Amino acid sequence: MKWNLKPSAQRKVAKFLKWTAASLFLVFCASTFISNDALAHENDPHSVARPQEVRVEHISLDLRVDFAEKKISGKVTLRIKNLTGANKLYLDARNLNIQAVSVGVRQVPTTFRKGHGDPGLGEGLIVDIGRHTKTVTIEYETTEGADALQWLTPEQTAGKHFPFLFSQSQPIHARTWIPLQDTPEVRTTYDARITTDPDLLVLMSAENPQVKTTDGVYRFRMRHPIPSYLIAIAVGNLEFRAFPGSLRSGVYAEPETLDSAHWEFANTEKMIKVGEGLLGPYVWERFDLIVLPPAFPYGGMENPRLTFLTPTLLAGDRSLENVIAHELGHSWSGNLVTNSNGNHFWLNEGFTVYVERRILEAVSGQKTAEIQAQIGFERLLDELRTQPADLTKLRTNLRGIHPDDAYSEIPYEKGYLFLRHIEELVGRPRFDTFLRAYLSEFSFQSISTDDFQKFLEEKLILGDAELRRRINALEWIYAPGLPEVRPEIHSEALARMQRHAEAFAKAGRFSNPTILSFASVSAYEWVHFIRSLPKDTSLDRIKSLDKSLGFSDSQNVEILTEWLKFTIGAGYPPALVRAEQFLKSVGRWKFLEPIYRQLIANRHRELAVRIFNEAKSGYHSIVNQQFERLLSTSTESCNDAMGG
Ligand code: BES
Ligand code: ZN
């Protein structure tokens, strides 16, 4: 078809058509999703549990942690509430060895069988119960297929003398070490009795000891109802030290890292106070940290009362403490108000990134928070280029998709942007009031995107059609990509680094030599500097940069990762040796992924595979699965890892 219209009119028509299509699309999406979430009960796509019939209310663990056999064994007692008079209890279970199941205080044996869940979700466990059954006791042991558990040899720890165990239950790995209703829709309290070698300390996401017992027996209690993905355990040669001036916060670490951890995270109590001012009382009583060995696959994990951390945060300059602000933020968004299943993951992470940056702003200033926001925004743009459109929506539909495969920056950074967009429209005072009301309304509940939307309508929009139009929630939530009207993120500090990078690439030296002082430039500014170097920067210039700024030797993992990504892409020979060393020393997927991806994209696929094969015994099984996936989806020509 040929339009006999002036170009400007053509543009208008095209814009109108695009707008109409987008609106129809939104109405369609909104109507299907809203009715799904609101009318019928929305089942968790990653669980075989049927909490609408029978609900687990309390979990009692009696387990032995056996390092020689690398297994956890014992029994779990589930206290249940039978809501419909059902005669079966459906549990999630994956790769567990179930030995016996009984009911009631007298533990009368009952019959049970495996279900037929798909391999990713696990086989499940179906237990025959009576209408009046109050407790179900399951004797079991974990197997090698317990993806939640990573057993470390002494060599993989800082001290090199004692073994170590940690769990990672989120998103759906709790079922690999405890048979339970593994959906965040269900909240339970728990207690535990754990036995292990007497020279090790056991910690959980619960009331914790601060010193070892003499007999290796430990008791725990979590009095608040929490989702299963927050049940956690760590066992190792650990010591505790309180933060100065805090009665509710301290850090656990191996003695070898305790000093540096204690220094690095010293702002924790300050952050808790800021969090309370912004979000309401901290209800979990204690907020302790534990620094795990480098194999831990995440930066941080918000296990209640005991945040799990990677030792790669120990940069020596407190430059990565935003991770503490983030995990602390989850004490409100995530642990108090919880996404009801993986489709609403943005409610956990988007809110928490927003809270993280507000806490950081109060503790370290607006400049630091805006640097984070811009770095995050750029990562979001990269992610939007590579993720399938469906996964770029805030409210996802993950039926048939494992949550570990859907994991990306999108729920974090698009979620953040959406909340900041609302904040900018209504102003901070009004937004903060709304945020506090949201957290208190849904405290200790598991909610869906739809619950959020209704609350937004009732407590913030209040029938104001113009505000509703400007907030544009339907597009933010249900459409892929980013709405055109969105917050402008601009960090002057990063713009300055970009100018330095461009000037350096052109002239081969810095116009202003004071940039060479590491003291005046923060880690994320360097990250941006490296990202801003033109791809065709000559090897000579790269070499001289490395000589003057020492990026290849950086002790800061964020800087080093960015540098390795850049220099592998540029064909800088020392990058390969350094990359190999790095890939073999850390297990955090966020840093492994871009480097492996970059190796593969730059004709080093074989090298990547060799390094991986040599390193994989030290990686977490989640990481190993992600690597296989990366290998099968990335090609040499696809050079996406370089980003913008
Ligand atoms: N809860 C997440 C980690 C997570 C999410 C584990 C989904 C498994 C499945 C944690 O709060 C988190 O987001 N950690 C980030 C750090 C943060 C500063 C963005 C990480 O580990 O990189
Ligand atoms: Zn998080």
Side-chain angles (χ1 to χ4, degrees), residues 39-52:
L39 296 179
H41 168 74
E42 180 204 346
N43 286 321
D44 184 335
H46 304 120
S47 170
V48 302
R50 302 185 182 183
Q52 293 340 91

Side-chain angles (χ1 to χ4, degrees), residues 375-562:
I375 299 251
F377 181 67
E378 285 171 9
R379 292 196 173 144
L380 173 62
L381 294 181
D382 285 353
E383 199 85 90
L384 288 171
R385 278 194 278 274
T386 53
Q387 289 291 334
D390 262 347
L391 292 181
T392 71
K393 300 170 181 172
L394 280 182
R395 198 286 193 197
T396 51
N397 183 357
L398 298 185
R399 191 160 293 280
I401 303 175
H402 193 290
D404 280 336
D405 294 340
Y407 185 85
S408 84
E409 298 275 345
I410 295 187
Y412 291 78
E413 295 295 343
K414 187 178 173 182
Y416 164 76
L417 217 55
F418 178 34
L419 297 173
R420 177 158 158 172
H421 167 68
I422 305 175
E423 178 219 280
E424 288 181 1
L425 285 175
V426 302
R428 267 202 181 169
R430 210 171 138 196
F431 186 74
D432 289 357
T433 306
F434 168 75
L435 189 58
R436 272 191 293 272
Y438 166 81
L439 294 169
S440 105
E441 169 82 10
F442 297 115
S443 186
F444 290 112
Q445 293 181 45
S446 303
I447 67 167
S448 69
T449 301
D450 205 47
D451 295 315
F452 161 74
Q453 247 177 291
K454 276 204 208 101
F455 194 74
L456 181 73
E457 185 63 51
E458 282 162 21
K459 293 282 150 56
L460 198 76
I461 296 177
L462 298 157
D464 179 341
E466 175 60 9
L467 181 60
R468 185 184 301 115
R469 188 188 64 75
R470 295 181 73 188
I471 288 183
N472 193 14
L474 292 184
E475 186 179 352
W476 276 98
I477 294 169
Y478 297 109
L482 282 181
E484 253 168 63
V485 180
R486 54 175 186 252
E488 290 225 354
I489 292 176
H490 177 80
S491 154
E492 189 40 46
L494 294 189
R496 186 177 140 259
M497 291 312 276
Q498 185 163 342
R499 290 194 294 274
H500 278 304
E502 283 158 6
F504 179 87
K506 229 188 218 160
R509 58 188 171 76
F510 291 109
S511 45
N512 174 1
T514 58
I515 191 189
L516 293 177
S517 141
F518 259 89
S520 65
V521 180
S522 69
Y524 283 101
E525 288 171 86
W526 285 120
V527 165
H528 192 72
F529 174 85
I530 297 167
R531 280 182 72 103
S532 306
L533 290 167
K535 276 185 201 170
D536 58 359
T537 306
S538 75
L539 288 181
D540 275 353
R541 298 241 152 116
I542 294 178
K543 199 170 158 192
S544 94
L545 251 191
D546 206 8
K547 212 169 149 209
S548 52
L549 295 170
F551 288 138
S552 290
D553 299 323
S554 177
Q555 292 306 300
N556 188 300
V557 277
E558 295 277 356
I559 295 177
L560 184 60
T561 303
E562 209 58 48

